[in-house]
Amino acid sequence: MSRLAEKFAELKKNGRKGLITFITAGDPGLDATSDLVVALAEAGADVVELGVPFSDPLADGPTIQQASGRALAQGVTLKKILSTVKSLRRRTEIPLVLMSYYNPIFSYGLEKFVVDAAAVGVDGVIVPDLPLEESLSLRNLSAGKLAVVPLAAPTTADARLQEIVAAGSGFLYYVTVTGITGTRRSLPPELSASLDRVKKIAGGLPLAAGFGISTPEQARLVGRHSDAIIVGSALVEIISGSGTTAAGLEKLSKFVLSLRQSLDGLSGSE
Amino acid sequence: MTKANFTVPDERGYFGDFGGRFVPETLITALEELNAAWVKYRQDADFQAELEGWLKEYCGRPTPLYRARKLEAALKIKEVYLKREDLAHTGAHKINNTIGQALLAVRMGKKRLIAETGAGQHGVATATAAALFGLSCEVYMGEKDIERQAMNVYRMELLGARVIPVSSGSRTLKDATNEAIRDWVTNVADTHYIIGSVVGPHPYPAMVRDFQRIIGVEARRQILAERKVLPDVVFACVGGGSNAIGIFHPFLEDEVKLIGVEAAGSGIASGAHSAPLSAGRPGVLHGSMSYLLQTEDGQIEEAHSISAGLDYPGVGPEHSFLKDQGRARYISVTDNEALEALRLLCRTEGIIPALESAHAVAGVMLEAAALKDKIVVINLSGRGDKDVATLANLEAGEGE
Ligand SMILES: Cc1ncc(COP(=O)(O)O)c(C=O)c1O
């Protein structure tokens, strides 16, 4: 079983909710990324998403846009991220998922990407600008090697959602808001009902929900109606504010721990 | 001439290997709704009659096909005709598309229009359509373009639109497009995004082409009426490619050479240019697969051109298809060549072209030796009033 599948099976067995954390790879540098992943794992993250920086991140708000810009200014590339993952695999077995816009992957070569990513220990890939209709080649090439995590949005109708679920692997990434990434003071009031509807259609594919989650209260709200929550911009903000000094890592760990505890407060309550 | 099938795109929006729909899932439903509306109204007699009415009475169509005899003499070419899109309302071909899309938006029940703009011509044309049909309008524009096309910013504001400055990236058209897409992802329920060229996810490249085809349909009819023969060659500048596709498309099945002129900026070899068909390779930007300026690692490169409307690293997928099919040929001219052509047209014909359109004229100048006995049509996509400040700055020696 893959690391990702194993993780979701373990969470389910223990009646726990998953915590998926996103950081931009190479912000503030690739060495820092390794340390950050280890810190996230130790603080209780179940999966880490590594954002591959892109010049034109059109599904992202200012926080991740800027992180992406900082990483690119450091000369970070997909190739360098893969070699970082390779060395990182000596330090942690946490499931790692790359989040990349399509062009860097297409430019690298789809087949070569799948082979190389799987070889260094990447477990899955999320491509925010590759909807169902365009993802066939990547899915075919990835079968048995990498999970190709599909996205669904509040605007996705049920019939389409069924097709997305049938084609997807790893988990289903439900976008909680009609919009771009970034922290939000409040989530849509209809979110719980939407998640319950999506969960029914998702069946055996674990449901993870993200976009806009930045507080333990929001984590609990979303966690109650999903299998896992995804937190990104809130972490990227802490990293850009406090850096990766011991104090910075401490602040990040504390925040992740607060999310972890908030989710663990839900276990057994169902 | 190739015998390829030019009835593209297919139902997934592909022109051969190019096009498609590379966007966040959030937008898929809206794109499907838009596609359904376009497919329906494209063949709807009432819609077409209404569109035709606005184009005729409001936009001033058909625009003239003017024989430029002084330019012929200067370039030693047998016959040169200018398709005068500069005489369309608001001063460029962009209005053909915005009136069409705004009519669709009204039928789809949308209350708000958004657009990206580079030269400001598409922004002005969108603001105009919004004013005409009573819709609210916000236009994204790069800070650099706000500076160099200040007059158009003021025009948009006069028309009641809000211009939102974009400070990310190269602060030009590419970044304005990113912001417009982000806005659309967030406000998709009540907003229609009027893309200004034959770029973006399906159905935009095909839909914008259909709204711009009127240029070529008229030009073909006009030259046949006047000369009883088809032209030998048609020239158009290529930014995203809408004025070029608009004039090329009705000639695709004819024995007519089609030449698209890209902006070579400071020269292709300098790296500072906007010529993806001449010097790029296929990739995905703003929702479709097409030729693209990009680094080895698939990061999009900044484009460079004196002309804000051509300053874009991508190009419409149908042009990539026509290039690979060999049906159209794409050349490029530098900033200086475009400036020289602009001055020539001013002095010989008394027409100040847009800097974008001056690239098409410069393409003809570049190829003049091979055109001696030919009948040439140039798509004069817009007028140059908006560029007067840029030109004055250049003459004062403080240009870019
Ligand atoms: C007058 C004029 N011509 C051409 C263009 C380039 O766009 P396209 O290649 O889509 O015709 C612009 C864009 O702003 C323009 O204003």
Side-chain angles (χ1 to χ4, degrees), chain A residues 164-236:
Chain A
I164 289 174
V165 166
S169 48
F171 57 92
L172 175 66
Y173 189 141
Y174 182 73
V175 175
T176 54
V177 297
T178 302
I180 54 179
T181 61
T183 59
R184 292 193 176 47
R185 225 165 293 147
S186 63
L187 293 170
E190 68 281 7
L191 180 59
S192 313
S194 305
L195 286 169
D196 292 343
R197 168 180 75 88
V198 172
K199 178 68 193 155
K200 272 198 202 113
I201 297 174
L205 194 63
L207 169 63
F211 273 39
I213 303 173
S214 62
T215 66
E217 294 69 43
Q218 290 170 332
R220 191 173 310 125
L221 180 103
V222 177
R224 189 170 288 135
H225 299 271
S226 63
D227 300 308
I229 66 157
I230 306 168
V231 180
S233 293
L235 301 174
V236 173

Side-chain angles (χ1 to χ4, degrees), chain A residues 8 18-22 45-49 171 208 228-232 235:
Chain A
F8 278 106
L19 175 58
I20 303 178
T21 53
F22 170 98
D46 295 300
V47 176
V48 174
E49 275 180 29
F171 57 92
I229 66 157
I230 306 168
V231 180
L235 301 174

Side-chain angles (χ1 to χ4, degrees), chain B residues 91-94 117-122 149 173 196-199 208 212 237-245 307-310 319 354-357 380-383 386:
Chain B
H93 68 293
K94 299 286 182 188
T117 197
Q121 286 302 124
H122 174 58
Q149 306 279 278
L173 184 53
S197 192
V198 285
V199 300
V208 175
Q212 292 293 3
C237 69
V238 179
S242 67
N243 86 87
I245 279 289
S307 147
L310 304 183
H319 286 291
L355 273 170
E356 292 77 19
S357 323
L380 204 73
S381 58
R383 68 176 184 230
K386 68 185 178 59

